[in-house]
Amino acid sequence: MEPIQEGAKGAAVEDIQDRLGTLGYAIDAAETGQSTFGPSTATAVARFRLDHGLSLGKDVDTPTWTTLVDECYQLGDRTLYLRLPNFHGNDVRQLQERLNILGFSCGPVDGTYGVHTEAAVKLFQESIGVLADGMAFPDTFDAIERLKHVWAGKPAAGPHPQGGMGFARAASVLELAHICITADDPISRNIAGRIWNLAHATVDDCALDLLDSPEDATSGSLIVLSTAPLPENVASGIGNVLLDDFETLPLRLRTAIQSSSATPPAARIEVPVGTGAFTTGDAQTYAVLLLDAICAAFEGIDL
């Protein structure tokens, strides 16, 4: 494109002024009223270029225009998915920031919808019980918006290691949160039983229940353990959480429970067992780690 310079007038200048104004750059009313590229518009362009690492100047050239358009996208303005060239812009950056805070790591927040962002979107979609195709449609954006109380105002670099809950905090959750746990195969039932034993050994008045089947849950929140992969094309309102990163597990479990459309709210935790022998020591280790993650996930949730 030919650079748009000081002295220009018309619809293109009006568009530039509108976008700069949306981003907080001040332009004189006299210039915006006449769609004239005057001194204050030139100053706003120069500041925008400086703020976004572009070469110094007051003209709107192709790189400046492209960056200006990208910065004006808001999450939900367009469907995002993996393609070449990659989608890039402020909406992608917002998506990455929010997913990172929720525990679904996109890696560095760079505003580019690459393979890591697609993988994070798929994990988030799976956790809320919808088709995990990596395409961020309005239903994905709506689910993220419903979790605004979780991500708003938090740093976007991603979750930090949470460590153990500590006895006092864990005991508080186990006494107050009505959590039901069940499992659908012998190994995961073994782990569920150990979680129940640990919970009831932690506090005398423990509200965590061990159920024979998901159908027995009538209130509270339900967690279903399974060693089987999630069947394809299942969208039941119950999110699936992979047990593959204990640092982010509490955040991902919290997201799954709060996004669940099932009654009572439910989440499925997929437990990896590998191809070798699964020992009682493995089951006890998983039980300890899972109970800690459950307590961290439910701390402060009124369910």
Side-chain angles (χ1 to χ4, degrees):
M1 61 176 282
E2 289 294 324
I4 302 174
Q5 303 171 325
E6 191 169 351
K9 296 183 66 174
V13 174
E14 181 181 1
D15 192 4
I16 292 168
Q17 291 171 332
D18 286 344
R19 292 178 184 275
L20 288 170
T22 297
L23 296 173
Y25 294 90
I27 300 174
D28 289 347
E31 292 181 25
T32 57
Q34 299 179 7
S35 301
T36 302
F37 198 125
S40 71
T41 303
T43 299
V45 170
R47 288 175 176 168
F48 175 83
R49 292 176 63 146
L50 181 62
D51 290 345
H52 293 84
L54 301 170
S55 60
L56 299 180
K58 297 183 178 181
D59 301 344
V60 178
D61 55 12
T62 298
T64 304
W65 172 250
T66 300
T67 305
L68 183 58
V69 171
D70 281 351
E71 288 302 304
C72 287
Y73 282 119
Q74 297 297 313
L75 190 62
D77 285 349
R78 54 183 177 168
T79 297
L80 300 171
Y81 54 92
L82 186 62
R83 69 166 196 184
L84 291 176
N86 297 141
F87 281 109
H88 49 83
N90 183 55
D91 54 343
V92 179
R93 187 162 56 248
Q94 290 174 338
L95 177 66
Q96 292 171 327
E97 289 171 348
R98 293 164 194 183
L99 287 176
N100 274 354
I101 295 168
L102 291 170
F104 304 88
S105 178
C106 301
V109 177
D110 58 6
T112 299
Y113 199 102
V115 292
H116 296 301
T117 301
E118 183 196 41
V121 169
K122 286 182 177 179
L123 286 174
F124 175 75
Q125 291 172 327
E126 191 169 282
S127 79
I128 61 173
V130 301
L131 178 64
D133 58 5
M135 299 184 69
F137 283 107
D139 57 349
T140 305
F141 303 139
D142 290 345
I144 292 173
E145 182 63 24
R146 288 195 296 272
L147 294 164
K148 186 174 182 178
H149 62 287
V150 178
W151 53 257
K154 304 291 178 59
H160 299 286
Q162 299 192 25
M165 272 286 287
F167 176 81
R169 290 168 62 199
S172 175
V173 173
L174 293 173
E175 289 174 348
L176 299 176
H178 183 194
I179 304 167
C180 301
I181 188 166
T182 187
D184 61 10
D185 60 80
I187 290 178
S188 54
R189 279 196 289 271
N190 187 312
I191 297 170
R194 291 172 182 273
I195 292 173
W196 186 91
N197 287 334
L198 287 168
H200 284 259
T202 301
V203 293
D204 293 330
D205 190 17
C206 182
L208 186 145
D209 290 333
L210 182 64
L211 305 180
D212 288 333
S213 69
E215 290 73 23
D216 294 334
T218 58
S219 61
S221 301
L222 174 66
I223 294 175
V224 181
L225 302 185
S226 179
T227 61
L230 182 69
E232 294 184 1
N233 301 322
V234 172
S236 61
I238 299 177
N240 191 66
V241 178
L242 297 177
L243 196 62
D244 59 353
D245 182 352
F246 284 103
E247 290 182 6
T248 63
L249 179 59
L251 290 169
R252 292 184 285 123
L253 179 57
R254 185 185 185 99
T255 295
I257 290 291
Q258 293 192 320
S259 300
S260 175
S261 60
T263 303
R268 181 181 188 269
I269 298 180
E270 187 176 323
V271 180
V273 294
T275 56
F278 190 82
T279 67
T280 56
D282 294 330
Q284 186 68 10
T285 298
Y286 274 149
V288 172
L289 292 169
L290 277 169
L291 180 60
D292 189 73
I294 289 168
C295 289
F298 279 84
E299 187 182 26
I301 297 182
D302 185 16
L303 290 173

